[in-house]
Amino acid sequence: GGYASVQTSLGCQFACEFCCIQAPFGDAKPRMRYWSPENVANQIDELVNVYNITNIKIPDEMFCFNRAHVRAICELLIKKNVAQHLNIWAYARVDTVKDEDMLALMRRAGFRWLGMGVESGSKHVRDGVDKGRFGNEEIIAAVRRVQAGGICVGANYIFGLPDDTPESCEQTLALACELNTEYANFYCAMAYPGSALHRTAQQKGWRLPED
């Protein structure tokens, strides 16, 4: 019962062009700051045992990045004997869920959902927004790996990225249908102020909402 949001880190090591997460840091190198695993586990323990809250969202931009951080939180939740009550949602990338042992540990610790940014079914379009370091085969394998670990996937897709065409949008829809994840979000590309995509739009004279 109940719902709460628990932050475990700030920032992101990645700089996808459509994302404005790096805007507050100017030209500084992307970095992350962490709450200690003990702090996080104690918060969740209190939510469960004092407030009877078992549905937890971890809104970190990239929870599944620092494996030591993830493992320590999971081990503490199991040790505190609250894991069996939990339904946790967190975010990952295709290239941060390669460790099957870590996924198994996350499942034991109460993680039931991972949000994953697929974005486009076209590698060419993904290349244009710094998400093309993996191909469709790797995306499919990563999603299936998470699901095989007993964790549901909420996949995110974006239509209308700079290199998109009607054909590439069809590829995105086809990939979404093939993956058929337990949940999916379909977004229109937005040039958020502070993102590289917004700067590109300004340079090229593309119409923006503030215009």
Side-chain angles (χ1 to χ4, degrees):
Y3 166 83
S5 178
V6 177
Q7 195 97 27
T8 87
S9 68
L10 292 171
C12 184
Q13 288 293 114
F14 303 100
C16 304
E17 293 204 1
F18 50 81
C19 182
C20 58
I21 185 64
Q22 305 299 346
F25 309 110
D27 296 326
K29 182 181 178 181
R31 67 187 191 280
M32 296 177 71
R33 292 179 292 163
Y34 297 91
W35 277 266
S36 72
E38 292 77 15
N39 179 292
V40 173
N42 287 341
Q43 287 187 65
I44 294 175
D45 183 46
E46 182 176 358
L47 287 168
V48 173
N49 288 305
V50 178
Y51 299 100
N52 194 33
I53 290 174
T54 57
N55 300 300
I56 308 289
K57 180 173 182 177
I58 295 178
D60 305 23
E61 284 291 318
M62 194 50 52
F63 178 72
C64 292
F65 176 72
N66 183 327
R67 294 184 186 185
H69 178 73
V70 173
R71 285 184 174 277
I73 290 172
C74 289
E75 288 167 356
L76 284 168
L77 292 177
I78 294 168
K79 183 178 180 180
K80 288 176 178 293
N81 202 32
V82 294
Q84 68 272 23
H85 304 295
L86 295 172
N87 173 33
I88 304 177
W89 169 291
Y91 291 97
R93 269 175 55 119
V94 167
D95 49 353
T96 64
V97 288
K98 296 179 179 179
D99 186 340
E100 293 177 0
D101 290 339
M102 185 183 79
L103 289 169
L105 180 62
M106 290 176 68
R107 181 65 173 77
R108 286 178 54 214
F111 286 80
R112 299 291 181 266
W113 288 88
L114 282 180
M116 299 177 66
V118 176
E119 321 313 358
S120 173
S122 164
K123 189 175 187 303
H124 173 67
V125 173
R126 293 195 301 271
D127 281 336
V129 290
D130 195 32
K131 284 297 285 278
R133 67 184 67 187
F134 31 78
N136 284 13
E137 297 80 8
E138 292 171 279
I139 292 171
I140 294 167
V143 168
R144 300 297 180 238
R145 189 179 304 118
V146 172
Q147 292 172 323
I151 299 173
C152 299
V153 174
N156 295 321
Y157 305 91
I158 302 175
F159 293 90
L161 291 167
D163 292 320
D164 255 329
T165 63
E167 291 73 24
S168 64
C169 288
E170 288 286 352
Q171 290 175 343
T172 300
L173 179 59
L175 180 58
C177 290
E178 180 176 358
L179 288 173
N180 192 27
T181 54
E182 289 82 2
Y183 192 82
N185 292 305
F186 298 94
Y187 299 105
C188 294
M190 296 289 289
Y192 294 112
S195 68
L197 182 55
H198 190 271
R199 292 191 292 273
T200 298
Q202 289 178 316
Q203 292 164 4
K204 296 193 174 184
W206 297 344
R207 290 185 62 190
L208 290 164
E210 62 263 34
D211 298 333

